[in-house]
Coordinates of all heavy atoms in Angstrom, one line a residue:
Chain A
L382 N -11.7 -56.2 -26.8 CA -13.1 -56.3 -26.5 C -13.4 -56.9 -25.2 O -14.2 -56.4 -24.3 CB -13.8 -57.0 -27.6 CG -15.3 -57.1 -27.6 CD1 -15.9 -55.7 -27.9 CD2 -15.8 -58.0 -28.7
A383 N -12.7 -58.0 -24.9 CA -12.9 -58.8 -23.7 C -12.5 -57.9 -22.5 O -13.2 -58.0 -21.4 CB -12.1 -60.0 -23.7
A384 N -11.5 -57.0 -22.7 CA -11.1 -56.2 -21.5 C -11.8 -54.9 -21.5 O -11.5 -54.0 -20.7 CB -9.6 -55.9 -21.7
D385 N -12.8 -54.7 -22.4 CA -13.6 -53.5 -22.5 C -12.6 -52.3 -22.8 O -12.8 -51.2 -22.2 CB -14.4 -53.2 -21.2 CG -15.5 -52.1 -21.5 OD1 -15.8 -51.8 -22.6 OD2 -16.0 -51.6 -20.5
R386 N -11.6 -52.5 -23.6 CA -10.6 -51.5 -23.8 C -10.5 -51.2 -25.3 O -9.4 -50.7 -25.8 CB -9.2 -51.9 -23.3 CG -9.2 -52.2 -21.8 CD -7.8 -52.4 -21.3 NE -6.9 -51.4 -21.6 CZ -6.7 -50.3 -21.0 NH1 -7.4 -50.0 -19.9 NH2 -5.9 -49.4 -21.4
I387 N -11.6 -51.4 -26.1 CA -11.6 -51.0 -27.5 C -11.2 -49.6 -27.7 O -10.3 -49.2 -28.4 CB -12.9 -51.3 -28.1 CG1 -13.2 -52.8 -28.2 CG2 -13.0 -50.7 -29.5 CD1 -12.4 -53.5 -29.2
A388 N -11.9 -48.7 -26.9 CA -11.7 -47.3 -27.1 C -10.3 -46.8 -26.8 O -9.7 -46.0 -27.4 CB -12.7 -46.5 -26.3
S389 N -9.7 -47.4 -25.8 CA -8.4 -47.0 -25.3 C -7.3 -47.7 -26.0 O -6.2 -47.1 -26.2 CB -8.3 -47.2 -23.8 OG -8.6 -48.5 -23.5
D390 N -7.5 -48.9 -26.5 CA -6.3 -49.7 -27.0 C -6.2 -49.8 -28.5 O -5.2 -50.1 -29.0 CB -6.4 -51.1 -26.4 CG -6.0 -51.1 -24.9 OD1 -5.8 -50.0 -24.4 OD2 -6.0 -52.2 -24.3
I391 N -7.3 -49.6 -29.2 CA -7.3 -49.8 -30.6 C -7.2 -48.4 -31.3 O -8.1 -47.6 -31.2 CB -8.6 -50.5 -31.2 CG1 -8.8 -51.8 -30.4 CG2 -8.5 -50.7 -32.7 CD1 -7.8 -52.9 -30.7
P392 N -6.0 -48.1 -31.9 CA -5.9 -46.7 -32.5 C -6.9 -46.5 -33.6 O -7.0 -47.4 -34.5 CB -4.4 -46.7 -33.0 CG -3.7 -47.8 -32.3 CD -4.8 -48.9 -32.0
T393 N -7.5 -45.4 -33.6 CA -8.5 -45.2 -34.7 C -7.9 -44.3 -35.8 O -6.8 -43.8 -35.7 CB -9.7 -44.4 -34.1 OG1 -9.2 -43.1 -33.6 CG2 -10.4 -45.1 -33.0
N394 N -8.6 -44.2 -36.9 CA -8.2 -43.3 -37.9 C -7.9 -41.9 -37.4 O -8.5 -41.4 -36.5 CB -9.4 -43.2 -39.0 CG -9.8 -44.5 -39.5 OD1 -10.4 -45.3 -38.7 ND2 -9.6 -44.8 -40.8
H395 N -6.8 -41.4 -37.9 CA -6.3 -40.0 -37.6 C -5.4 -40.1 -36.4 O -4.7 -39.1 -36.1 CB -7.4 -39.0 -37.3 CG -8.1 -38.6 -38.6 ND1 -8.5 -37.3 -38.8 CD2 -8.5 -39.3 -39.7 CE1 -9.1 -37.2 -40.0 NE2 -9.1 -38.4 -40.5
S396 N -5.3 -41.3 -35.7 CA -4.3 -41.4 -34.6 C -2.9 -41.5 -35.2 O -2.7 -42.2 -36.2 CB -4.7 -42.6 -33.8 OG -3.5 -43.0 -33.0

Side-chain angles (χ1 to χ4, degrees):
Chain A
L382 188 65
D385 196 17
R386 298 186 57 84
I387 291 286
S389 54
D390 288 3
I391 307 290
T393 61
N394 304 66
H395 290 216
S396 161

